[in-house]
Structures are given as structure tokens and as C-alpha cells.
Amino acid sequence: MDLGLTGRRALVCASTGGLGEATARALAAEGARVAVTGRRGDRARALAAELPGAVAVEGDLLAPGGPDPLYAGAVEALGKEPDILVLNGPGPRPGSASDVTSEDLTTAVDLLLRPQLRLIGLALPGMRARGFGRLLAIGSSGVAAPLPGLALSNLGRAALAGHLKTLAAEVAPDGVTVNLLLPGRIATDRVAALDAAAAERSGRSVEQVAADSRAAIPAGRYGRPEEFGAAAAFLCGAPASYITGTALRCDGGLVRAL
């Protein structure tokens, strides 16, 4: 399938590792010119050197005022504004819902909502004017089924999902799609850290925690990053132009709801 991404420009947030890197790799393989971004400038430059036509942009989306210089740097490196914006970033610490404080709420908003909305505000006018745009947020299966022990992540990601669903209807007439891609247990450093945290809380070994997690997945395994990247590239492509306001799960069947 030709995804129609040749010559498109993509800004992929937090793409020096994990699901962001997998998405950047998939978009570049389909012919997009990708801005690889992250706080680790050396890693961004190394990865960009591996990908055809990619550029590196060092920046911290979560720093005060961080979205503006990150976006400006991407526009400069790409030569024009991006057609594709992939929202991604680290999640907040694990914890229970009963322990959430007002400070925690601020943290969840600052990590998972405020900078993303600012980036959307910067990228969206140009997309609407050009009649083409792809906004894709890398979320969590917790959007579909809140995850035990991840209260702050559930809170912040659900808020972003609600905003994006509302936005999708507003910008659809302008040729801009807005979607979420929800990973289940994908074999990344983030999932390894969550397994380690669960092991510490429960007094079990990391291997036991991972085995129990795999047993709960109908596919019987953790997903591979490249499988996630392929789904992301499709949602950013031309054939997905009639898919908007949707949360697609890439989870091996983990969430049992339709």
C-alpha cells in the first residue's frame, strides 16, 4: 500500500527512543521527512543520521515554554511547517487514585495536556490552510480501560483524548485528521520500568510480573515497536483520510472491549 507520505514533513515528539522512535522510523521508511526530537541531542542526531532525509532537533517539550522553541527548531530544520504532528512524551509516576493530590493533578496536566495543546495550536493553522494535516497522539490503553496503579496517567491521557475527539470534528472539513494510537504492552523501556515498579510493589520478580502480563494478552506476547510504528504510519498516510476522531488500539487484544 502506498501511504502517500513521500515528501510530507513530520514532527515526532520524544522520538529518540521507545514508541516515538518506532513511529519516526516507520514514517521515514515511507518517504516522509522526519524531525527527530528529544532532550538527548546526541541521540537525536545519531538516529536522524540513520533515517533517510531525517533531521535532528534537540529540545525539551516539558520545559517551561518548551513547545515554542521545539516547534520553531523543527520548522527551521524541515524547511517548512510539518504536515504531520505526532504527540508523545513520558508519563507520570505510578500511583493510586486515592492518593492523588492537587500537586499531582498539576503534574499530570503539565506532562500530558498543556504542552500538547500548545504544539497543536502552533501546527494546526498551517495544516488547515494547506488542506492537509495529521495530528496523532501516542496514548495508552488506559484511555480505553483505565489501568490500575496509573491514576495520573489515566487522568491526563483521558483529558487529552476528550480534547482531541472534540477537535477532530472541528477540523475534519479542512482535511485534517485527529486520532489516537493506544499501545498495550509494547516492549519498550517504559514498559520495562512499569514492570519493575510493579515487581517492587508486589514483592515478585520482574520475570514473574512480565510472565503474568503476557498471560493476560490474547496474543501471548508483548508487541514489537515496529508493529506500533506501522500502525502509526498508516494513520498518518493518505489512505487513512476518512479515519478521524478515533482511538485505535495496538494491544494484541489486551483490552477486551470492542
Side-chain angles (χ1 to χ4, degrees), residues 124 127-133 170-177:
L124 190 57
M127 292 180 180
R128 300 179 83 173
R130 294 189 299 275
F132 179 93
E170 296 174 2
V171 301
D174 302 314
V176 179
T177 67

Side-chain angles (χ1 to χ4, degrees), residues 28-117:
E30 293 293 333
R33 183 166 169 79
V34 178
V36 178
T37 71
R39 291 173 293 179
R40 298 178 293 174
D42 54 345
R43 174 57 184 157
R45 289 184 287 272
L47 179 56
E50 296 179 26
L51 306 180
V55 296
V57 180
E58 182 175 355
D60 185 356
L61 177 64
L62 302 181
D68 290 78
L70 180 67
Y71 187 79
V75 172
E76 181 179 2
L78 291 169
K80 60 174 64 175
E81 289 190 278
D83 307 293
I84 298 163
L85 173 60
V86 180
L87 301 172
N88 182 40
R93 64 169 179 80
S96 64
S98 59
D99 293 331
V100 171
T101 66
S102 59
E103 290 79 10
D104 290 332
L105 175 60
T106 299
T107 297
V109 170
D110 287 345
L111 281 176
L112 298 173
L113 193 62
R114 197 186 311 277
Q116 288 79 2
L117 297 193

